[in-house]
Amino acid sequence: MHGMSPERGDNDPREDALTVARLWQTMVTTRALSWGAGNPSWTHYDGDTRPGTPAGAAALADENIAELTGQLRQIEAVEWAQRVRFEGRVMRPTSTDSVAAMLALHSAKDLPAPQQVRELADALQEAGEIPPDHLDSEDLLTAVQCLGPRQNIDVRERILNGKKLTKLLRENLAIYLWEVTHPEWMKMFWETPKLARTTAIGELRLSHLKLEQRKIRGRVLNVFD
């Protein structure tokens, strides 16, 4: 009903990425993998007793560390890569036209340079709306990833086929280019609602940020008008 991370507005995956990075670091440095304190057995509503899950840990062998640090190719990764390339996802899809399958088939590594998105970024940089720092293809595709699934696929297919972007796609991408190049402002924007729920100062600050957001979006769109 409310997405996978409602407290963060479903907009910032950096906390998830940091958690994964810390897990990876822990496994590499401790050479161990543990899977929690376990769960006791429990009784289902039909009266049957269901077994619990035991606590546990395992030492990682040299081969495991080599896989984690990229020195040894994971056996499963070869099959997964083939499934993604030819079937659209790691798990076998239930329908060939699913959004997830389409996105996987248009993965970043198979796309040419996103020139259409770079032209938008160049215009925004020339207007002083985004920093003059060089944006590589990964930075540009991050803005594409912020689009909804259908528009995401549309842009990727246009990049693949060298087609121009529609006005709506250009406008949405321009806004997301601003957002991905101003991470600290966006971090403040998504954290302020938490404060606004408990303090009047937070509510006032949130109102100011929303007004500023409308002004920013107006300036960004004026670049292309």
Side-chain angles (χ1 to χ4, degrees), residues 162-178:
K163 295 174 61 178
K164 293 182 178 180
L165 301 176
T166 65
K167 183 175 185 293
L168 177 61
L169 290 176
R170 290 198 305 272
E171 291 178 344
N172 288 343
L173 273 175
I175 291 172
Y176 285 127
L177 280 167
W178 191 96

Side-chain angles (χ1 to χ4, degrees), residues 78-107 109-110:
V78 177
E79 181 182 354
W80 292 344
Q82 291 175 342
R83 285 191 185 182
V84 167
R85 182 173 296 275
F86 296 109
E87 301 180 33
R89 59 170 74 174
V90 172
M91 300 299 292
R92 298 194 182 278
T94 56
S95 61
T96 57
D97 61 345
S98 66
V99 171
M102 291 293 292
L103 284 175
L105 289 172
H106 296 320
S107 61
K109 67 178 182 298
D110 296 323

Side-chain angles (χ1 to χ4, degrees), residues 64-82:
N64 304 132
I65 300 298
E67 287 184 349
L68 287 170
T69 54
Q71 300 171 3
L72 180 66
R73 184 72 180 272
Q74 291 183 346
I75 297 176
E76 297 89 346
V78 177
E79 181 182 354
W80 292 344
Q82 291 175 342

Side-chain angles (χ1 to χ4, degrees), residues 31-183:
R31 300 179 65 90
L33 172 67
S34 61
W35 46 90
N39 294 296
S41 59
W42 56 285
T43 302
H44 194 254
Y45 66 84
D46 60 9
D48 291 339
T49 299
R50 304 297 171 88
T53 55
L60 299 182
D62 291 340
E63 292 80 6
N64 304 132
I65 300 298
E67 287 184 349
L68 287 170
T69 54
Q71 300 171 3
L72 180 66
R73 184 72 180 272
Q74 291 183 346
I75 297 176
E76 297 89 346
V78 177
E79 181 182 354
W80 292 344
Q82 291 175 342
R83 285 191 185 182
V84 167
R85 182 173 296 275
F86 296 109
E87 301 180 33
R89 59 170 74 174
V90 172
M91 300 299 292
R92 298 194 182 278
T94 56
S95 61
T96 57
D97 61 345
S98 66
V99 171
M102 291 293 292
L103 284 175
L105 289 172
H106 296 320
S107 61
K109 67 178 182 298
D110 296 323
L111 292 176
Q115 185 59 32
Q116 300 92 324
V117 188
R118 184 169 299 283
E119 291 172 359
L120 296 177
D122 289 344
L124 290 171
Q125 287 178 328
E126 185 176 348
E129 289 297 334
I130 66 175
D133 306 331
H134 173 72
L135 300 176
D136 57 26
S137 293
E138 183 176 352
D139 297 322
L140 300 175
L141 289 173
T142 297
V144 177
Q145 192 69 14
C146 292
L147 296 168
R150 294 295 177 185
Q151 289 189 345
N152 194 335
I153 293 172
D154 192 0
V155 171
R156 288 169 183 262
E157 289 184 337
R158 290 172 185 272
I159 292 172
L160 189 64
N161 299 319
K163 295 174 61 178
K164 293 182 178 180
L165 301 176
T166 65
K167 183 175 185 293
L168 177 61
L169 290 176
R170 290 198 305 272
E171 291 178 344
N172 288 343
L173 273 175
I175 291 172
Y176 285 127
L177 280 167
W178 191 96
E179 291 186 357
V180 299
T181 54
H182 293 79

Side-chain angles (χ1 to χ4, degrees), residues 172-200:
N172 288 343
L173 273 175
I175 291 172
Y176 285 127
L177 280 167
W178 191 96
E179 291 186 357
V180 299
T181 54
H182 293 79
E184 294 307 316
W185 192 94
M186 294 305 301
K187 181 175 185 291
M188 179 174 56
F189 182 81
W190 290 116
E191 288 181 348
T192 302
K194 299 177 183 179
L195 183 63
R197 289 197 292 267
T198 57
T199 68

